Amino acid sequence: MTLKIHQDHSRFKQIVRGKIKANLRKYVQKGEMLGKKGKDAISIPIPFIDIPRFKYGHKEQGGVGQGDGDVGQQLGPGAVEPGDGHQAGQGEGDHALEVDVTLEELAQILGEELQLPRIERRQNERIVTQKVKYTGVNTTGPESLRHFKRTFKQALKRQIATGTYDPKMPVIIPTREDRRYRSYKLQELPETNAVIIYMMDVSGSMGDEQKEIVRIESFWLDTWLKHQYKGLESRYIIHDAVAREVDRDTFFHTRESGGTMISSAYKLCRDIIQADYPKSAWNIYPFHFSDGDNWSADDTRQCIEMLRNDILPQVNQFAYGQVESPYGSGQFIKDLREAVGDSNNVSLSEIADKDAIYASIKDFLGKGR
Amino acid sequence: MPKSLSPRLAALRDEIHGYAKEFGLDFFDTVFEMVSYDEMNMVAAYGGFPTRYPHWRWGMEYEQLAKGYEYGLSKIYELVINNDPCYAYLMESNPEVDQKLVMAHVYGHCDFFKNNFSFRHTNRRMIDDMANHATRVRRWVDKIGVEKVEDFIDRTLSLENLIDQHAPHIRRNPDPQRAEEEAKSNERVEGFKVNREYMRGFINPSEFMDSQRKRAEDEKQQRKRFPERPQRDVLYFLLEHAPLEPWEVDILSILRDEAYYFAPQGQTKIMNEGWASYWHSTIMTRRALKDDEIIDYADHHSGTMGVRPGAINPYKLGIELWRDIEDRWNKGRFGKEWDECDDLRARQAWDKKLGAGREKIFEVRKHYNDITFIDTFLTAEFAQQQKLFVYGFNDKRNSWEILDREFRKVKNKLLTSLTNFGQPIIEVVDGNYENRSELLLAHKHDGQDLKGDYARETLRNLQSLWRRPVNIITRYDGKGTLLRYDGQHHSEKKVEL
């Protein structure tokens, strides 16, 4: 059935999309939406979608409430009526409307705005498996799926309501209507066919700011590649003078003090590809971030050799992002540019600061590989 | 699409209708329609009307309602429109006991709409007029284009609260005596006739003459002022004086009509919701409830009455006040004798068995709005019983906290938050500011500063209607401030008040 409201609703969604687009650069830089991530949707604050009026700031105003508590007692978060924005005075307000956007949609917007080409898949076959998930409760079903607890709960409710429950003689007899059954859904699980191998330099010269940049940038890379490949695997490698594979959380929160041997990471990357990701079945994306400071020219030579011989022939695209830091010499990107810069599955990007993330995403994803 | 009631529900409606009449409620015919939850969300998004003009914010409203419903956070039980006949909606998935409760609640609202003085001048054929508004707007959309019309509506909505809330039907048009006064003002101040020049200083003392001349001049200025008196109905001022296209005038007047239609509901929220809750509770517990419905009823009722510390629940505050009034007038707890009695024990035992409570509340529902209701009937005892307090933001601790439980302060804060709907009072004071056709508004500052970013954004929208620079005088941190938007830039300067 179509309702009249659907026209207004889709117009609203269109406006939201426009607002996201218009503010995308800001979102990309600030990473302000990365905090509240659900499974596959995200809350984005949209500025000024509510209608501005002459009104009081809520903080300015305060109000009358009702309940227990002494003077000076704090009211818990959420206890105070929201909706008027929280900031009073002259500053830029945070009277934002939070809208939910799916990552899928966000990736589309990103793609449109940055004019990203669709990735040409090298490996296209996808095996889809089906999985049964018991997620719901139903009033009908086979006896084998009867939900014991829910059935009795239901019966208890009914008996209390009809006055036939006697607490002294707690006998509960479910009737046909009380019975509850577990119900299931078929889920399609696409077989993963792309992998991102993230590598990051965590040596002393990479500070918090640099890592924040990597975190934000990798969020967008993830989002885009997820949009292109259903079901995407990610692996994480950190390195200083030695490399090790870690989980996502460790990846973003480790800080070491040692020196830097980039070759150690590339070696591990190569080994992972060889062991787990045969070229025939996988689209492979190594992304490496560092401040461009390597231990020695010799180590850099090793890196380049490994790239040429082992990594580049295997992967869709190898990407290197150099995050500017006050300590790094920034030499590495120059060496890479000279050695493999003209190879068409290499993209190199220098990221001076958060403002540069936007352009850097385009560097990485603009080739459509 | 809405369905009429099943025979079973129609019978229940007749039953509840009978109880409502029995208790003396007096309402227009009330039409109940059955809707799905999706339709309910739609109608609610449209402010209760099945047909509204097209605009994205209904869609936004709908999204929020639909989401709230899906996540189980909120559910609309009751939706009723002030119209003759009244229209009310029932959600088809609700259990029978809820339907009964909602019907009883609705009859309470309908009685209030019909009898409370704030609604006396409201348009009782609003359902038709809303549909007409929609047709008019759609016609402009076809002619002018959706982008332009929507954009104009967006900007006008930004000014929607700038109406004269408390005197919706007074037209302060130019004075008919104006011409006469005009003529009078042209008389020159000449004083008495003087035959002997040396007597002039005594017959027409120069100080007196000067002051007379000045007064005449002032009066002339006064008459030249435009508007003559500050005008609260900013939308009306724009309708009359802003250089608008015919389609813009039409849309602006539609939005103004709708704003006035909804204004009384804002002014009587506590009374109205309290009244409806009082009646659903009375009808259900004294008449309509069956034994096996009590738990569900209690669950629903307590849900409606729930309070969060940092907010006033109008249902709860309203119903308690109505009950308190009824109780006081039943026991004779009012008047000089009661007020002057400070023997605590005597007060507690006070019961003159007057039994005038029911009569009193029917009278009060006729002649009060939220402000006068709270002002007259919210007593210190009541505030204490209901555990009311004032809260505010503590910058140091970066949190909201309870500031005060003192009765006077609680009551004042509550009244302030209800004055003009809790919105700042803003007037047009000059439509020819600086003699350059600029618009000057003034904010009657009552201790609370305007939200700055909103104010600037609103000025921008106002400017796009006035087409010349716009200004507003307000106060920030105690200092007189003139905010200005000239079509390109915002500026701000300190002014003497």
Side-chain angles (χ1 to χ4, degrees), chain B residues 353-365:
Chain B
K353 305 244 183 308
L354 272 190
R358 223 3 107 62
E359 198 187 324
K360 182 67 184 175
I361 58 174
F362 272 98
E363 178 202 318
V364 171
R365 74 101 155 71

Side-chain angles (χ1 to χ4, degrees), chain B residues 369-412:
Chain B
N369 64 23
D370 278 353
I371 292 187
T372 52
F373 184 62
I374 300 278
D375 193 31
T376 314
F377 298 107
L378 188 103
T379 62
E381 277 105 340
F382 181 84
Q384 198 184 6
Q385 255 170 36
Q386 291 299 317
K387 302 176 177 172
L388 300 183
F389 57 77
V390 178
Y391 68 86
F393 198 77
N394 183 332
D395 283 324
K396 273 185 218 133
R397 287 161 74 181
N398 196 33
S399 72
W400 295 90
E401 61 183 44
I402 298 177
L403 292 184
D404 216 316
R405 283 187 180 274
E406 212 243 300
F407 170 59
R408 273 285 127 212
K409 291 191 180 144
V410 167
K411 190 160 172 174
N412 279 340

Side-chain angles (χ1 to χ4, degrees), chain B residues 149-246:
Chain B
V149 171
E150 187 182 66
D151 184 52
F152 183 76
I153 294 175
D154 288 357
R155 287 181 279 125
T156 307
L157 285 173
S158 178
L159 313 167
E160 195 188 29
N161 59 339
L162 302 179
I163 57 176
D164 196 347
Q165 299 281 1
H166 297 288
H169 296 275
I170 300 170
R171 285 267 157 92
R172 294 191 173 93
N173 273 341
D175 210 329
Q177 296 173 343
R178 187 189 180 132
E180 201 182 312
E181 284 178 35
E182 200 91 34
K184 232 163 136 194
S185 81
N186 288 334
E187 283 171 33
R188 301 205 15 231
V189 179
E190 284 169 349
F192 297 106
K193 200 174 169 221
V194 180
N195 288 328
R196 297 178 185 83
E197 200 50 37
Y198 63 86
M199 290 296 284
R200 181 176 291 278
F202 297 95
I203 295 171
N204 295 318
S206 64
E207 258 172 63
F208 177 76
M209 291 308 291
D210 286 350
S211 75
Q212 288 298 305
R213 272 188 210 104
K214 190 168 179 308
R215 212 190 64 194
E217 192 56 35
D218 282 354
E219 267 172 18
K220 220 165 136 193
Q221 282 298 324
Q222 186 93 17
R223 265 185 292 274
K224 264 204 278 185
R225 212 173 271 165
F226 160 60
E228 283 176 42
R229 280 173 232 92
Q231 188 169 326
R232 284 274 288 281
D233 193 341
V234 180
L235 289 187
Y236 188 65
F237 187 84
L238 291 171
L239 268 179
E240 290 216 305
H241 303 293
L244 299 170
E245 309 272 334

Side-chain angles (χ1 to χ4, degrees), chain A residues 1-9 11-13 15 48-76 78-95 97-100 160-162, chain B residues 1 38 42 46 50-51 54-60 62-64 67 147 150 157-158 160-161 292 295 307-310 312 386-391 393 397 399-403 405 410 413-414 422-424 426 446 448-458 461 472 476 492:
Chain A
M1 181 180 53
T2 54
L3 294 173
K4 262 174 276 165
I5 194 83
H6 289 163
Q7 217 181 329
D8 293 322
H9 192 214
R11 179 73 188 127
F12 166 65
K13 285 192 153 165
I15 289 171
F48 278 122
I49 193 123
D50 61 340
I51 290 152
R53 304 242 159 102
F54 288 121
K55 61 156 139 186
Y56 305 123
H58 191 52
K59 258 189 194 169
E60 187 86 22
Q61 202 170 3
V64 173
Q66 188 169 13
D68 293 314
D70 297 323
V71 169
Q73 177 170 316
Q74 298 185 345
L75 304 178
V80 173
E81 200 107 272
D84 278 349
H86 304 283
Q87 207 91 45
Q90 305 265 64
E92 192 185 331
D94 57 352
H95 46 273
L97 174 81
E98 298 225 330
V99 293
D100 289 346
I160 290 173
T162 54
Chain B
M1 287 299 103
D38 212 22
M42 173 181 88
Y46 282 139
T51 309
H55 192 257
W56 58 266
R57 84 182 185 288
W58 317 125
M60 174 166 77
Y62 173 78
E63 165 139 332
Q64 285 170 350
K67 233 192 256 169
E147 296 281 333
E150 187 182 66
L157 285 173
S158 178
E160 195 188 29
N161 59 339
D292 64 352
I295 291 177
V307 291
R308 283 178 301 154
I312 281 294
Q386 291 299 317
K387 302 176 177 172
L388 300 183
F389 57 77
V390 178
Y391 68 86
F393 198 77
R397 287 161 74 181
S399 72
W400 295 90
E401 61 183 44
I402 298 177
L403 292 184
R405 283 187 180 274
V410 167
K413 187 84 212 174
L414 197 50
Q423 311 266 1
I426 285 165
D446 59 354
Q448 303 174 76
D449 291 356
L450 292 179
K451 197 159 152 45
D453 49 352
Y454 269 70
R456 282 192 293 274
E457 210 55 32
T458 309
N461 289 333
I472 183 169
Y476 278 109
E492 189 179 325

Side-chain angles (χ1 to χ4, degrees), chain A residues 154-352:
Chain A
Q154 195 60 34
L156 177 61
K157 266 195 212 163
R158 178 182 47 78
Q159 288 190 357
I160 290 173
T162 54
T164 55
Y165 177 71
D166 177 8
K168 283 177 220 118
M169 257 267 286
V171 180
I172 295 165
I173 305 160
T175 64
R176 183 78 202 81
E177 283 77 24
D178 295 328
R179 291 191 192 157
R180 292 294 179 272
Y181 302 88
R182 280 196 294 264
S183 64
Y184 63 85
K185 258 192 195 147
L186 272 184
Q187 276 195 328
E188 289 200 342
L189 289 182
E191 198 77 352
T192 305
N193 65 349
V195 59
I196 306 180
I197 301 168
Y198 284 110
M199 290 170 274
M200 178 160 57
D201 177 2
V202 292
S203 67
S205 58
M206 285 282 283
D208 288 341
E209 199 183 320
Q210 284 75 29
K211 273 189 224 147
E212 172 74 3
I213 289 171
V214 174
R215 198 173 70 86
I216 293 170
E217 180 135 2
S218 63
F219 168 80
W220 291 104
L221 299 172
D222 267 355
T223 302
W224 178 250
L225 288 168
K226 263 185 200 145
H227 175 58
Q228 305 282 330
Y229 299 102
K230 296 282 159 257
L232 175 78
E233 263 189 35
S234 306
R235 304 283 286 260
Y236 300 91
I237 296 172
I238 53 176
H239 70 91
D240 46 11
V242 288
R244 62 193 165 105
E245 190 180 356
V246 295
D247 59 35
R248 182 179 172 84
D249 197 51
T250 318
F251 183 76
F252 289 118
H253 295 101
T254 304
R255 180 163 194 171
E256 308 284 353
S257 53
T260 311
M261 299 258 271
I262 296 178
S263 67
S264 66
Y266 288 10
K267 197 188 263 167
L268 184 52
C269 171
R270 178 193 68 191
D271 294 347
I272 287 176
I273 293 172
Q274 275 172 5
D276 297 339
Y277 303 103
K279 185 182 174 182
S280 58
W282 289 86
N283 295 282
I284 305 166
Y285 294 88
F287 282 98
H288 178 219
F289 297 93
S290 92
D291 60 2
D293 215 10
N294 202 10
W295 181 255
S296 63
D298 196 42
D299 192 72
T300 300
R301 253 194 305 283
Q302 273 192 46
C303 289
I304 287 164
E305 225 162 85
M306 241 182 301
L307 273 179
R308 276 202 184 120
N309 300 334
D310 304 323
I311 297 181
L312 292 183
Q314 302 295 320
V315 304
N316 295 45
Q317 176 174 273
F318 172 86
Y320 171 69
Q322 185 160 294
V323 192
E324 202 167 278
S325 98
Y327 310 105
S329 63
Q331 180 58 37
F332 194 65
I333 197 165
K334 292 176 199 153
D335 297 336
L336 281 185
R337 201 173 279 144
E338 208 169 285
V340 294
D342 48 5
S343 139
N344 59 9
N345 65 345
V346 171
S347 61
L348 308 172
S349 179
E350 278 178 277
I351 315 160

Side-chain angles (χ1 to χ4, degrees), chain B residues 274-287:
Chain B
W275 184 252
S277 300
Y278 174 92
W279 285 109
H280 84 231
S281 150
T282 305
I283 289 172
M284 289 301 277
T285 54
R286 308 246 168 114
R287 296 287 185 281

